[in-house]
């Protein structure tokens, strides 16, 4: 009985054994028919006259030796069967693991020549990527073993977030895995049980102080906590194979970048003119509570009836969030429904970029140009706004990202995501990608030279955590590119932070303050980016009532608290909770490609030439660093939470919103700072209970306790101002 021929393009998933002898139909033909003239094969006829080929067992190939036991078992099985019988042998994992299937087919039924030819088709670049991938897997596996033996096993949840869809077999090209011993290793990165630490201090507050839900809670996450998943189904789109896969923050991102880079870029990059999805691509924010750290809220009685996660596509400008997803309309409806069902106003809990989104929402919902809720809507629907590590005045590293594609030490993107972007994309590719994300530009520093200083000085000059900087530099030295040297160009005095871009000697470029840096960005970024920025955002500051009356009505100002007022909500409270005492990117030393090497310039239409007649190719100069001055390989370190500098998290909270110009309704603002203290445990991947790191602050014990106190209606019990930094001193120097 002849074996069936598979359809063209169909993968081989099983092999046939007829009358005790193996036949491979890997290319639709019996292998024995291709080797009738081979001297090692002998022909014989059975009683029915059918001809069969027998391989000479005396000339075993390496594959025969390697699979000898398997073949011996097959021979014993087939010898016991009647003549002309047919047995289908199918490995139990073949249907889900094509890599293993391909290996078994090669080991059992393909000759050495075919195997050699197959290996020649695997490019060296792919092999290197696979070696890198396997190295990452082994390292994470060892870390996982240590974590499971530790009392800190509760923090496995954060680690496993990046590996929720991990399947090694589907990530490695066919033929690259020599056996099934790896298989699907996703389970080893997932915590098997939840420990009591996941619900601490929630359970303690519930049992000892009787904490229970009072106000409904709506959480607005930052970039790290918001997954983006593909909904593309277009046949001619490369993204169809990633349907319902998360393209940001999980191993699907690793897989796509390693093996399908162009497709990943086409999914993540937005149309530079419209700021929306390119044709044939649909990437949406993942919905649900999976990404939120809600264990402590659940510990005092919250569930999905009184707790809501308002995730969003952070790539979109805030205008496009409403245009494409009706995001703010949905949020408005949710808060209105919550008030109707519970009779209580909502506590809005925002982290990182989510705080910028909420400030925009306050202005949008009141305005006739937005939600048309009227001047009292926020006052009637919001009990409190908990602003956790919100970059209210922007982040300098956002400027670096859109200016030159630098993502050095970018916790705002997440450790894994930043690593992938830094290692697998050129600066040109990164800059183009970042500039297409209108949402990212919402965090360009605001206030210009008034807030961030001039090349002569800045309000927060001289601040950096020297001890931590030294530790970080010892680690960073092993990661720097060959040839990097240590240079001290500033004597014993730290350079001013006011020079947001301090150009190195020999670059033939002057130092730039924040205002001048925006001018340089305008020259380099092109017409599309400049048009998007002008349409959606402002970065200045209103200093008179006349200026504020005009700017606060402009939707482009609704992300800028220096040009738009707080809502008319005198009964609402704002809690600013943020970390201090951790080295944070504040300004940079830049350089330009030497005139002695070929220049790479951005020549797209709309660029404005500088004095050389060309736009310079600039980059952060990693050869410049000084531990004592807090300069870490071209990055000047100041005080903050590791991602957002103190001037951005603290100024509006302790000073700006105390002024009637920016807070005419007199909304009460309570600022609570938390000193960063790193965990001593090497396996405490979330930083420990006293961390004040920008991302890990969500696991800080005291921050969590403050949050539960607010949502339980106990916020009148001791939640008063708590200041450890010099933010008030710096604020007094701001020129407003």
């Amino acid at each position: 009985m002849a074996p069936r021929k598979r359809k063209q393009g169909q993968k081989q998933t099983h092999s046939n054994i007829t009358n005790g002898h193996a036949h491979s139909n890997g290319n639709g033909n019996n292998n024995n028919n291709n080797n009738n003239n081979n001297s090692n094969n002998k022909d014989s006829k059975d009683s029915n006259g059918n001809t069969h080929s027998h391989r000479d067992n005396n000339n075993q190939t390496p594959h025969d030796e390697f699979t000898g036991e398997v073949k011996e078992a097959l021979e014993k099985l087939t010898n016991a069967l009647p003549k002309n019988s047919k047995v289908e042998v199918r490995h139990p994992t073949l249907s889900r693991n094509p890599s293993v299937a391909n290996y078994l087919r090669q080991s059992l039924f393909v000759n050495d020549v075919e195997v050699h030819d197959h290996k020649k088709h695997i490019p060296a670049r792919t092999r290197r990527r696979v070696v890198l991938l396997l190295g990452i897997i082994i390292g994470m596996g060892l870390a996982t073993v240590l974590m499971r033996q530790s009392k800190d096993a509760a923090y496995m949840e954060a680690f496993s977030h990046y590996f929720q869809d991990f399947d090694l077999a589907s990530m490695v090209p066919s033929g690259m895995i020599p056996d099934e011993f790896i298989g699907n290793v996703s389970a080893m990165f997932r915590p098997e049980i939840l420990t009591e630490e996941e619900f601490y201090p929630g359970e303690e507050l519930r049992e000892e102080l009787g904490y229970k839900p009072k106000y409904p809670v709506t959480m607005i996450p930052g970039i790290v906590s918001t997954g983006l998943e593909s909904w593309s189904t277009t046949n001619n789109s490369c993204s169809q194979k990633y349907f319902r896969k998360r393209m940001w923050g999980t191993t699907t991102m690793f897989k796509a970048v390693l093996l399908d880079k162009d497709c990943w870029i086409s999914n993540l990059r937005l149309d530079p003119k419209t700021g929306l999805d390119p044709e044939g691509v649909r990437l949406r924010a993942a919905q649900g509570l999976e990404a939120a750290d809600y264990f402590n809220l659940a510990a005092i009685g919250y569930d999905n009836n009184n707790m809501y996660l308002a995730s969003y596509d952070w790539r979109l400008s805030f205008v496009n969030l409403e245009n494409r997803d009706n995001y703010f309309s949905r949020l408005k409806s949710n808060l209105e429904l919550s008030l109707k069902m519970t009779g209580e106003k909502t506590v809005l809990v925002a982290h990182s970029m989510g705080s910028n989104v909420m400030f925009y929402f306050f202005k949008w919902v009141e305005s006739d140009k937005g939600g048309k809720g009227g001047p009292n809507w926020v006052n009637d629907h919001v009990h409190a706004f908990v602003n956790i590590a919100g970059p209210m005045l922007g982040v300098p590293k956002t400027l670096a990202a859109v200016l030159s594609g630098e993502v050095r030490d970018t916790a705002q993107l997440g450790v894994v995501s930043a690593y992938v972007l830094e290692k697998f994309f050129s600066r040109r590719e990164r800059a183009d990608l970042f500039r297409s994300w209108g949402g990212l530009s919402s965090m360009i520093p605001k206030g210009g030279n008034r807030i961030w200083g001039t090349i002569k000085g800045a309000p927060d000059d001289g601040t950096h955590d020297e001890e931590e900087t030294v530790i970080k530099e010892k680690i960073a030295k092993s990661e720097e590119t060959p040839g990097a040297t240590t240079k001290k160009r500033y004597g014993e005095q730290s350079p001013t932070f006011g020079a947001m871009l301090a150009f190195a000697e020999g670059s033939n470029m002057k130092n730039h303050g924040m205002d001048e840096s925006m001018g340089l960005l305008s020259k380099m970024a092109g017409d599309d980016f400049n048009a998007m920025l002008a349409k959606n955002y402002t970065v200045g500051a209103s200093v008179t009532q006349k200026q504020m009356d005009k700017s606060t009505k402009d939707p482009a100002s609704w992300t800028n608290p220096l040009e738009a007022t707080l809502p008319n909500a005198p009964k609402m409270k704002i809690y600013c909770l943020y970390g201090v005492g951790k080295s944070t990117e504040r300004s940079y030393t830049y350089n330009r490609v030497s005139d002695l090497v070929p220049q790479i310039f951005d020549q797209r239409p709309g660029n404005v030439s500088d004095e050389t007649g060309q736009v310079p190719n600039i980059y952060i100069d990693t050869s410049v660093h000084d531990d004592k001055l807090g300069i870490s390989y071209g990055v000047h370190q100041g005080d903050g939470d590791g991602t957002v500098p103190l001037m951005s998290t603290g100024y509006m909270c302790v000073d700006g919103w105390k002024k009637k110009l920016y807070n005419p309704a007199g909304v009460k603002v309570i600022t609570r700072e938390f000193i960063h203290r790193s965990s001593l445990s090497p396996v405490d991947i979330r930083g420990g209970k006293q961390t004040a790191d920008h991302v890990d602050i969500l696991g800080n014990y005291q921050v969590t306790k403050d949050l539960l106190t607010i949502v339980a209606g106990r916020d009148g019990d001791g939640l008063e101002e708590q200041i450890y930094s010099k933010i008030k001193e710096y604020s007094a120097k701001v020129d407003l």
Side-chain angles (χ1 to χ4, degrees), residues 317-329:
S317 68
F318 297 168
V319 171
N320 279 336
L321 270 178
E322 177 63 18
N323 290 341
R324 192 194 74 177
D325 298 342
N326 297 310
Y327 177 78
F328 297 110
S329 294

Side-chain angles (χ1 to χ4, degrees), residues 38-75:
N38 192 310
S39 61
N40 292 332
N41 296 331
K42 299 179 182 180
D43 293 340
S44 65
K45 294 184 178 181
D46 59 22
S47 59
N48 295 326
N50 297 323
T51 301
H52 301 275
S53 293
H54 300 260
R55 179 175 290 186
D56 190 346
N57 293 329
N58 294 327
N59 290 320
Q60 289 186 334
T61 66
H63 288 282
D64 295 328
E65 296 175 0
F66 186 79
T67 60
E69 295 182 0
V70 176
K71 295 181 71 175
E72 181 180 356
L74 294 177
E75 289 176 0

Side-chain angles (χ1 to χ4, degrees), residues 142-418:
L142 293 174
T144 303
V145 173
L146 292 174
M147 289 175 188
R148 284 186 168 173
Q149 295 175 349
S150 167
K151 63 180 180 181
D152 295 315
Y155 298 135
M156 276 293 294
E157 178 68 22
F159 182 74
S160 66
H161 167 71
Y162 289 103
F163 305 97
Q164 58 187 322
D165 58 355
F166 196 94
D167 190 339
L168 181 62
S170 66
M171 297 175 68
V172 180
S174 178
M176 293 293 285
I177 300 182
D179 210 334
E180 61 173 316
F181 72 98
I182 295 180
N184 188 337
V185 297
S186 57
M188 68 185 294
F189 296 107
R190 297 172 182 167
E192 296 177 355
I193 59 173
L194 293 176
T195 70
E196 61 181 10
E197 292 188 18
E198 294 280 9
F199 305 98
Y200 194 77
E203 284 194 347
E204 177 189 46
L205 295 174
R206 175 176 56 82
E207 293 175 356
E208 296 182 5
L209 300 177
Y211 275 32
K212 61 182 179 179
K214 177 174 176 58
Y215 301 107
V217 174
T218 293
M219 296 173 287
I220 304 90
I223 291 178
V224 175
S225 300
T226 303
L228 301 177
E229 63 183 19
S230 174
W231 283 83
S232 301
T233 58
T234 307
N235 290 332
N236 60 356
S237 171
C238 70
S239 57
Q240 187 183 51
K241 58 190 171 185
Y242 296 110
F243 181 71
R244 296 307 306 277
K245 298 288 186 181
R246 295 199 179 186
M247 303 296 288
W248 179 264
T250 65
T251 51
T252 299
M253 177 177 177
F254 265 112
K255 172 184 176 180
V257 171
L258 285 169
L259 307 175
D260 206 359
K261 173 182 168 182
D262 291 339
C263 184
W264 185 84
I265 291 178
S266 69
N267 274 270
L268 268 292
R269 183 168 52 200
L270 296 171
D271 186 294
K273 294 188 179 297
T274 66
L276 298 171
D277 299 303
E279 185 177 356
V281 174
R282 283 187 296 163
L283 204 63
R284 299 292 183 267
Q287 301 299 316
L289 291 168
E290 294 87 350
D293 190 357
Y294 54 87
F295 298 112
N296 273 286
L297 288 169
I300 67 170
Y302 279 93
D303 56 34
N304 57 8
N305 287 324
N306 50 13
M307 180 171 57
Y308 172 67
L309 179 68
S311 57
Y312 56 96
D313 187 341
W314 46 263
R315 300 172 306 149
L316 297 178
S317 68
F318 297 168
V319 171
N320 279 336
L321 270 178
E322 177 63 18
N323 290 341
R324 192 194 74 177
D325 298 342
N326 297 310
Y327 177 78
F328 297 110
S329 294
R330 293 173 185 269
L331 181 58
K332 177 175 179 282
S333 297
N334 182 272
L335 267 60
E336 290 172 341
L337 177 62
S338 181
L339 177 62
K340 181 179 179 180
M341 299 300 293
T342 66
E344 297 286 356
K345 294 188 284 187
T346 296
V347 171
L348 297 173
V349 181
H351 173 242
S352 189
M353 181 181 173
S355 294
N356 301 74
V357 174
M358 277 303 92
F359 185 79
Y360 181 92
F361 172 72
F362 290 150
K363 303 304 297 181
W364 176 90
V365 76
E366 288 183 336
S367 174
D368 290 338
K369 298 178 181 178
K372 299 179 174 61
N376 298 321
W377 192 95
V378 176
N379 195 57
D380 295 339
H381 292 82
V382 180
H383 168 71
F385 168 38
V386 183
N387 165 28
I388 303 177
M392 303 312 301
L393 294 181
V395 186
K397 63 176 57 181
T398 301
L399 173 66
V402 295
L403 182 68
S404 59
E406 309 279 358
V407 290
R408 180 178 174 80
D409 192 29
T410 309
Q412 182 74 18
L413 297 177
V415 176
V416 175
S417 303

Side-chain angles (χ1 to χ4, degrees), residues 5-165:
K5 293 184 178 181
R6 59 189 174 92
K7 295 179 181 180
Q8 186 175 0
Q10 182 178 346
K11 291 184 178 180
Q12 170 71 16
T13 59
H14 67 272
S15 298
N16 298 325
I17 300 176
T18 306
N19 198 21
H21 302 288
H23 298 261
S24 172
N25 60 355
N27 57 7
N29 299 310
N30 189 305
N31 272 354
N32 295 327
N33 294 335
N34 297 331
N35 296 289
N36 285 334
N37 296 324
N38 192 310
S39 61
N40 292 332
N41 296 331
K42 299 179 182 180
D43 293 340
S44 65
K45 294 184 178 181
D46 59 22
S47 59
N48 295 326
N50 297 323
T51 301
H52 301 275
S53 293
H54 300 260
R55 179 175 290 186
D56 190 346
N57 293 329
N58 294 327
N59 290 320
Q60 289 186 334
T61 66
H63 288 282
D64 295 328
E65 296 175 0
F66 186 79
T67 60
E69 295 182 0
V70 176
K71 295 181 71 175
E72 181 180 356
L74 294 177
E75 289 176 0
K76 290 181 179 180
L77 173 64
T78 53
N79 288 336
L81 296 173
K83 293 182 179 181
N84 299 324
S85 62
K86 177 180 177 181
V87 177
E88 181 177 272
V89 180
R90 187 181 182 92
H91 191 278
T93 64
L94 295 189
S95 61
R96 68 177 178 86
N97 198 330
S99 297
V100 175
N102 189 63
Y103 165 68
L104 291 176
R105 182 181 68 81
Q106 290 181 353
S107 297
L108 295 174
F109 307 114
V110 182
N111 58 46
D112 285 338
V113 176
E114 289 177 338
V115 173
H116 178 71
D117 291 341
H118 177 75
K119 288 184 177 180
K120 289 194 299 183
H121 292 299
I122 301 176
R125 185 178 180 183
T126 300
R127 290 179 178 275
R128 288 195 296 270
R129 287 181 173 181
V130 170
V131 170
L132 171 64
L133 178 63
L134 293 177
I136 293 173
I137 302 310
I138 293 173
M140 291 186 297
L142 293 174
T144 303
V145 173
L146 292 174
M147 289 175 188
R148 284 186 168 173
Q149 295 175 349
S150 167
K151 63 180 180 181
D152 295 315
Y155 298 135
M156 276 293 294
E157 178 68 22
F159 182 74
S160 66
H161 167 71
Y162 289 103
F163 305 97
Q164 58 187 322
D165 58 355

